[in-house]
Amino acid sequence: MKRPWEDLEGGITVTVHLERGHVADVTVASTRRPELCRALEGMPVKAVPSMVALLFRACSAAQECAARTACEQIAGLPPTAGERSRRQIRVVLETAREHAWAVCIEWPRRLGMAPEVEAFAGIRSALRAIDQGLPDWPDKPLAKEKLRVLAQSIDRALALAGGAWEGPGALHSWVMAGIRPAARFLQQVGDEDLAEFGRCSLRPVPDMMAWDLDGALAADVDNRFVSRPEWEGDACETGPLVRMSGHPLVAELWQRHGNGLLTRLAARLVELVGLPARLGQLLDGLSSNTGVLGIGGSGVGLGQVEAARGRLAHRVKVEGDRVSRYQILAPTEWNFHPRGPLWRGLVGRPAGNADILQRQVGFLVVALDPCVAFTVQVT
C-alpha cells in the first residue's frame, strides 16, 4: 500500500540491463521533485524553518537546521553557541534513529526476516529521553545516565555484549555468531561473496567553499544541479561511508574490499555504535562548528549540515522580507546520480540469475540508503 506522502516525496527506480551475461547498463530514475521548494517562495523568511520541518518529512531535524542557518545569515543574527549545539545534537539524534531503523527494520526485511521492532523501540525511547532534556540544556545538565541507556540499547540491538569491533577479525566473529539480523545480513553478504559488490572509484563530495556551492546553486536555473549534482564534472558520494572512512575498521575493510557492500554496511554500523560518544562530546561542549557551514550577504543565505545520509544544503534568496527563491541539495541526489555509485559499481560485472541479481542490487541500494522508497528491476 502506498503511503500518503510518497506522491510528494517521489521515489527511485533502479533498472539493471543485462546483455550477454553481463550488466550492460544501469538506469537510475528519480521522481523526486526539486520544485517542491517553490512552496516556500513568497513566504516571510522567519516562517521558513518551521515550514521546512513540516514540508520535508525525511531528516526533518537536519532540514530545519540547514534552513535556520541559511535564514539567520540573511538576518545577520547567528544563533547562540548553546542553540547551535542543540541543533547539532538533534541532527545526531536523528542520525542515530535513521541508522537504527536501517539496521533493525530494513536489513531484516531484506532477508525476509521479521523486523527487530523491540530493539528499534528501545533505541528510539533512549533518543527521545535525550531530546526531551534539550530545551533546558545547557543551563540544566543532561544526565549522563541517558547516554548510557542509549549506548546500552544500541549494544543490545546488535548483541555486542559491551564490546566493539577492533578490526575485521572481531567483526567476522560477530557476524558468524549471527545473533542479530544485522549480523546475519553481513553473513549473507559473505555467503554470496558480495563483500566487493558495487566496488568502484568515486570521489567524496568535497568540502567545497560555501561561495563555490552558492555559485553553482545560483546558476542552476533549470534544477539540473540539484537533481543531478556533479563537482568539477564528476559524480560524487556522501554519507556514512565518507564520514567513517578514517575509522580503523572501515579503513582496513576499504583497503581489502574497496567501497563495496561490506565496507558500506560496516561504516553505518560503526557510526551508529559511535554516536553516543559523539553526543557526549556535544553535550560537554567539545564540538566545533564544522558540521554546519554557511555563507551570508546580499540577500542570500546558505546552510550545510551533515545529515544521516550525507551532506545537505539549503540556499535561500530574499527580496525584502520574503523568499524569492529556495533550493535544497540533498544527499540522495549525490548518491543516486545516474552515473554515481550504482552505475559505476555494477556496469560490466558478470550477471547470473536475474532474480538473485535483483535481490543483491537491492542490498546495495539499502546500503546507499535513499530517503525515499525504491524499486529494482532487471531486464
Side-chain angles (χ1 to χ4, degrees):
M1 179 182 295
K2 181 177 285 190
R3 298 171 297 183
W5 54 81
E6 284 183 9
D7 286 334
L8 283 176
E9 292 182 338
I12 289 173
T13 300
V14 179
T15 305
V16 181
H17 306 275
L18 305 184
E19 187 176 314
R20 298 178 182 177
H22 287 76
V23 177
D25 196 11
V26 176
T27 303
V28 182
S30 173
T31 58
R32 281 165 56 76
R33 298 164 60 188
E35 69 273 13
L36 277 177
C37 294
R38 296 189 64 182
L40 301 167
E41 294 173 2
M43 291 183 61
V45 179
K46 63 182 181 181
V48 165
S50 297
M51 182 59 67
V52 163
L54 293 173
L55 186 60
F56 298 98
R57 174 180 167 274
C59 292
S60 59
Q63 300 277 10
E64 185 176 356
C65 179
R68 289 195 183 280
T69 300
C71 293
E72 286 164 350
Q73 288 170 4
I74 292 172
L77 298 171
T80 64
E83 175 59 24
R84 185 171 62 238
S85 291
R86 263 190 295 273
R87 293 177 194 172
Q88 289 181 274
I89 290 167
R90 288 198 167 103
V91 171
V92 174
L93 293 174
E94 183 174 74
T95 297
R97 189 194 67 218
E98 293 293 313
H99 287 358
W101 175 269
V103 169
C104 297
I105 307 297
E106 191 60 36
W107 292 9
R109 284 176 176 170
R110 289 287 137 186
L111 297 177
M113 299 175 63
E116 294 271 270
V117 175
E118 186 175 345
F120 174 73
I123 295 173
R124 184 176 61 181
S125 176
L127 293 170
R128 283 178 173 172
I130 296 171
D131 186 61
Q132 288 168 357
L134 287 180
D136 298 325
W137 179 88
D139 295 330
K140 182 179 178 181
L142 202 115
K144 295 292 185 182
E145 177 62 21
K146 293 185 177 183
L147 288 177
R148 284 194 290 272
V149 170
L150 174 60
Q152 289 166 359
S153 67
I154 293 172
D155 186 288
R156 284 193 297 271
L158 297 175
L160 291 178
W165 304 297
E166 296 179 354
L171 179 67
H172 178 75
S173 297
W174 174 79
V175 168
M176 296 312 295
I179 298 174
R180 292 295 193 191
R184 294 175 197 170
F185 192 32
L186 270 67
Q187 193 176 97
Q188 190 73 22
V189 168
D191 290 346
E192 297 187 27
D193 196 24
L194 298 176
E196 296 189 18
F197 188 70
R199 179 175 184 168
C200 64
S201 175
L202 197 70
R203 66 186 289 191
V205 171
D207 290 327
M208 60 192 79
M209 293 295 186
W211 47 83
D212 289 334
L213 179 57
D214 177 68
L217 288 168
D220 189 30
V221 295
D222 57 359
N223 288 327
R224 180 175 176 81
F225 180 65
V226 295
S227 300
R228 299 184 174 189
E230 296 178 357
W231 198 251
E232 297 177 344
D234 286 335
C236 302
E237 178 178 354
T238 186
L241 180 65
V242 174
R243 290 195 296 262
M244 294 293 104
S245 60
H247 186 281
L249 172 60
V250 177
E252 189 164 349
L253 289 174
W254 200 318
Q255 186 174 22
R256 295 185 184 187
H257 307 294
N259 61 352
L261 183 56
L262 177 61
T263 311
R264 293 184 180 282
L265 297 174
R268 188 175 303 278
L269 288 169
V270 164
E271 184 164 58
L272 175 59
V273 171
L275 286 176
R278 169 69 175 145
L279 285 167
Q281 292 176 341
L282 286 166
L283 290 166
D284 288 339
L286 301 179
S287 171
S288 66
N289 194 31
T290 55
V292 183
L293 308 172
I295 187 173
S298 304
V300 174
L302 176 67
Q304 298 184 72
V305 60
E306 277 293 330
R309 294 168 177 85
R311 186 78 54 79
L312 172 70
H314 282 224
R315 180 182 186 269
V316 58
K317 184 176 181 181
V318 302
E319 293 180 5
D321 66 345
R322 293 186 178 268
V323 175
S324 61
R325 191 180 186 196
Y326 204 98
Q327 297 163 282
I328 297 177
L329 176 56
T332 291
E333 274 56 63
W334 287 109
N335 294 334
F336 289 86
H337 186 286
R339 288 295 182 266
L342 289 171
W343 186 83
R344 293 196 183 191
L346 295 174
V347 170
R349 69 172 291 115
N353 180 279
D355 291 336
I356 293 175
L357 180 62
Q358 182 182 35
R359 178 172 54 80
Q360 292 174 342
V361 172
F363 289 175
L364 187 57
V365 175
V366 164
L368 286 163
D369 195 21
C371 61
V372 292
F374 71 89
T375 57
V376 176
Q377 307 172 151
V378 178
T379 62

